[in-house]
Amino acid sequence: MLLSMCSLCELAECTLRSTLLQRAVSYTTPGRPTLSAAPAAYQRTPCKEGRWGVGRDRRLHGRLMPFSAAARRQTNAPQRRRTPLENRGGRTAPVLPGGMFVPCGSSAAADFEGFTLLLPAVSVGNVGQLAVDLVIFTLDMPKVGYFYTDCLVPMVGNNPYATAEENSTELSINAEVYSLPSKKLVVLQIRSPFVKNKYRSFCQTLLSWVKSSRCAKVILLSSSHAYQRDDQQLHGTPLRYLLSPAIQKTAGDLMQRLNWKEMEKVAAYPGVNDAEMVLHIPGGGITTLLYSESCSNGIEMAVLLKFCSEGDNIPDALALVNYLNEWLQLIKSEQNSDAPAVPSQWKIPHSWRLLFGSGLPPALF
């Protein structure tokens, strides 16, 4: 009886192997390995559930599992995730080598050689971003492209610079590029915060694009917490500047003539070791990192910042953009062409009407 049971088990196992072999051969497709008469080529391989079993056809496991370790590693290798651009079939203009800039409309790259790149840091009070809004809207700068990057939180919204019903339906995203060739100015507006641990990646890619575009210099508009100033920073104007070594020769004398105040360094360990001084910009976002990377890469960079606090930061933005205008002379005073602009000459975007949300419902009163 025992012998009969053993024979029956062997017969069942042989039948199962034969059935699996026939099914595997039946479901093979061009480009996939096919089974030979000897089943030894497909031995015990790891299943999806983590167990070991006889190699099965792709209807059961998705693919045939070769016995060799090299082939098994290649088969089980994780597939690279497709980007949204690839999933759309590449219908958008291609990302150009050396950066993440994608031009609008035509696939031809805009020429920014010799231009000044102006961009904000996502910092306290969003002062830099508000100041860039004033520059773009006042100068009526056209959009020439956008930045395709995974370093910023994705967002989409209406056109913040809409002036008529025709352009009010245009969409804007988290990083867009505007250009004004008459003033050799290109502006990158950033509208969303950075993804965690993506700061350095963004700075390196941005500076790579700056080099490939041959921009003359970079100006970063930023801000810092007013309550974290030390004693020496409490005196005088709340506006400060920083210059990289590469731009020091060309702009250093001008800053002195304008009577601007350079950002002071503070003690690395206050009260413990006051000899070691470091650059500290609390609430400045990527300001310190981007400035350090620019110094290391020989990029001509200037940082203009203002000490401020969270709240209604429109006056801070006007002060910062006037600070910038003293240097670049983007707009002139109507009374005196040589005098810098006054705050009233900057055009306020219509989107600022909802800067603090909609008004209170009348039904509350």
Side-chain angles (χ1 to χ4, degrees), residues 215-280:
C215 292
K217 58 180 176 289
V218 180
I219 300 178
L220 179 68
L221 302 183
S222 183
S223 54
S224 181
H225 285 298
Y227 69 87
Q228 289 194 257
R229 289 177 290 177
D230 65 358
D231 292 342
Q232 59 180 339
Q233 294 172 339
L234 290 171
H235 299 285
T237 175
L239 296 161
R240 294 292 190 274
Y241 78 92
L242 279 169
L243 296 178
S244 67
I247 200 178
Q248 186 73 44
K249 295 180 181 179
T250 58
D253 294 337
L254 177 61
M255 303 303 177
Q256 297 297 327
R257 292 198 300 270
L258 291 173
N259 200 26
W260 283 9
K261 200 168 185 178
E262 189 174 6
M263 182 68 176
E264 302 88 350
K265 292 185 177 182
V266 298
Y269 306 100
V272 179
N273 181 12
D274 294 335
E276 184 180 354
M277 308 296 287
V278 296
L279 182 64
H280 184 52

Side-chain angles (χ1 to χ4, degrees), residues 98-120:
M100 45 193 169
F101 173 71
V102 180
C104 285
S106 173
S107 59
D111 183 15
F112 300 135
E113 184 175 359
F115 279 47
T116 296
L117 173 63
L118 178 68
L119 73 154

Side-chain angles (χ1 to χ4, degrees), residues 276-326:
E276 184 180 354
M277 308 296 287
V278 296
L279 182 64
H280 184 52
I281 307 178
I286 65 169
T287 303
T288 304
L289 178 60
L290 186 58
Y291 173 75
S292 302
E293 290 286 338
S294 299
C295 294
S296 303
N297 289 275
I299 301 293
E300 295 189 16
M301 165 168 277
V303 178
L304 308 184
L305 63 88
K306 186 181 186 299
F307 294 112
C308 65
S309 302
E310 291 282 359
D312 183 0
N313 296 106
I314 293 178
D316 298 313
L318 288 168
L320 185 60
V321 76
N322 276 317
Y323 193 55
L324 170 70
N325 195 57
E326 289 182 32

Side-chain angles (χ1 to χ4, degrees), residues 160-200:
Y161 312 121
T163 56
E165 187 176 353
E166 289 75 16
N167 61 359
S168 62
T169 56
E170 295 178 3
L171 296 180
S172 62
I173 59 173
N174 52 11
E176 294 183 323
V177 180
Y178 301 80
S179 177
L180 192 63
S182 62
K183 292 187 177 292
K184 288 282 188 178
L185 181 67
V186 57
V187 176
L188 167 64
Q189 176 62 298
I190 301 175
R191 298 192 177 94
S192 67
F194 287 88
V195 176
K196 187 178 180 181
N197 299 326
K198 290 285 188 176
Y199 300 95
R200 188 172 299 277

Side-chain angles (χ1 to χ4, degrees), residues 61-82:
H61 279 275
R63 58 183 178 272
L64 296 175
M65 305 292 292
F67 173 69
S68 66
R72 185 163 62 246
R73 283 196 301 271
Q74 181 179 2
T75 306
N76 292 334
Q79 299 295 320
R80 182 181 67 84
R81 294 185 62 183
R82 292 169 60 87

Side-chain angles (χ1 to χ4, degrees), residues 7 9 11 14 18 22 29 36 39 105 137 191 200 215 229 243 344-345:
S7 300
C9 291
L11 179 60
C14 292
S18 177
Q22 293 175 1
T29 57
S36 62
F137 192 65
R191 298 192 177 94
R200 188 172 299 277
C215 292
R229 289 177 290 177
L243 296 178
S344 60
Q345 290 184 261

